[in-house]
Amino acid sequence: MQSVDRAVSVLEILARHGEAGVTEVADELGVHKSTAFRLLGVLENRGLVAQEQERGKYYLGAGVLRLAGAAAVRLDISQEGAPVCRGLADELGETVNIAVLDNTAAVNIMQARGPASVTAQNWLGRRTPLHATSSGKALLAHQAEAVQQAYLARKLPRLTERTLTSPAALRRELAEVVDRGYAVAIEELELGLRAVAAPVRAHDGTVIGAISVSVPAYRLAEDRLAEVVKRTVAAAAELSRRMGYAC
């Protein structure tokens, strides 16, 4: 933990000063120059710091911008998504979530419960598998081929008797998600739970999230499914517009 703390301190030093040499970093950390050099080397290998070769000074690297950009996207979609999430929950009376991709899982970063919601389960902050949730499928379906291949190469855990565990079957469903513009999960994560999700896009069309509606199975029969899909897709389009996407 000490090494992690020191590495973060190095980033904070560079953020504060703009640039610094090994000696300066070592002095501020209160460590030997060799320790500071090793820390800077690790951070440089990960792209979090870079070095000005002529003067030997270090400064924050492009990797920090990548991390900051990912955090900014989450913040923006949370802020812009709050009224959309709340409005859809009130409209349908069900639980609505906004999720983003986090490596091999979908993470719910926003939740609103409608007046008809009967579950007390809190999905906020929960990591859910991509292959067994509507949000996960909506996110995975719009990732690059290499990302999909890597996920499909993993073992797909069976969570209920309805969970898709065949890579070929999941690939076919992901293609359908792209074609129709939404994803469904029928008791694939939990028995008795059905969900619909649609992708949320950034200004450049990149899918950066998914908005989903979770409904008890007995309240989402085929005659209501079409209406829930329609309103979920409309909410995703509205949030995409708020994120700068011209539909």
Side-chain angles (χ1 to χ4, degrees):
M1 290 301 293
Q2 186 181 49
S3 295
V4 174
D5 183 68
R6 285 174 172 172
V8 173
S9 295
V10 170
L11 297 177
E12 291 175 340
I13 290 168
L14 297 181
R16 190 164 57 248
H17 295 298
E19 60 179 19
V22 176
T23 301
E24 296 168 86
V25 171
D27 288 346
E28 289 214 31
L29 289 177
V31 300
H32 193 274
K33 283 177 61 176
S34 61
T35 300
F37 183 77
R38 284 196 300 271
L39 287 169
L40 286 163
V42 171
L43 293 171
E44 185 176 18
N45 287 337
R46 299 304 295 268
L48 297 176
V49 307
Q51 185 180 24
E52 171 59 59
Q53 295 298 331
E54 292 185 3
R55 295 186 298 148
K57 298 281 189 176
Y58 289 85
Y59 55 91
L60 293 179
V64 174
L65 296 177
R66 183 181 67 249
L67 296 177
V73 165
R74 288 195 180 196
L75 180 61
D76 288 346
I77 197 172
S78 293
Q79 292 176 339
E80 297 296 335
V84 177
C85 200
R86 180 73 264 164
L88 185 60
D90 289 342
E91 188 178 7
L92 293 176
E94 308 293 353
T95 300
V96 177
N97 285 282
I98 295 175
V100 296
L101 185 68
D102 186 16
N103 195 10
T104 58
V107 177
N108 293 300
I109 61 171
M110 174 67 59
Q111 183 180 80
R113 292 196 182 100
S117 178
V118 296
T119 178
Q121 187 168 13
N122 184 10
W123 294 90
L124 193 61
R126 180 173 170 181
R127 290 170 58 86
T128 55
L130 301 179
H131 68 290
T133 59
S134 60
S135 290
K137 290 184 217 177
L139 291 166
L140 185 58
H142 293 88
Q143 297 307 304
E145 177 65 21
V147 175
Q148 290 189 19
Q149 287 279 28
Y151 190 84
L152 291 168
R154 299 162 52 90
K155 178 179 175 59
L156 304 178
R158 182 177 297 280
L159 304 173
T160 76
E161 61 188 20
R162 291 177 174 267
T163 307
L164 283 178
T165 58
S166 163
L170 180 56
R171 178 176 288 280
R172 287 193 297 271
E173 179 149 348
L174 294 178
E176 291 177 5
V177 169
V178 174
D179 288 342
R180 67 193 180 199
Y182 66 90
V184 295
I186 306 299
E187 300 184 80
E188 297 168 45
L189 179 66
E190 295 180 5
L191 291 176
L193 180 67
R194 299 183 177 185
V196 172
V200 176
R201 299 179 183 274
H203 65 92
D204 60 356
T206 304
V207 171
I208 56 172
I211 186 165
S212 68
V213 179
S214 301
V215 186
Y218 68 87
R219 280 214 303 266
L220 191 59
E222 288 299 321
D223 59 343
R224 192 185 180 212
L225 179 60
E227 182 63 17
V228 172
V229 166
K230 177 182 177 181
R231 293 174 185 255
T232 303
V233 170
E238 170 60 22
L239 182 49
S240 296
R241 281 192 291 272
R242 286 172 172 259
M243 298 301 294
Y245 180 63
C247 300

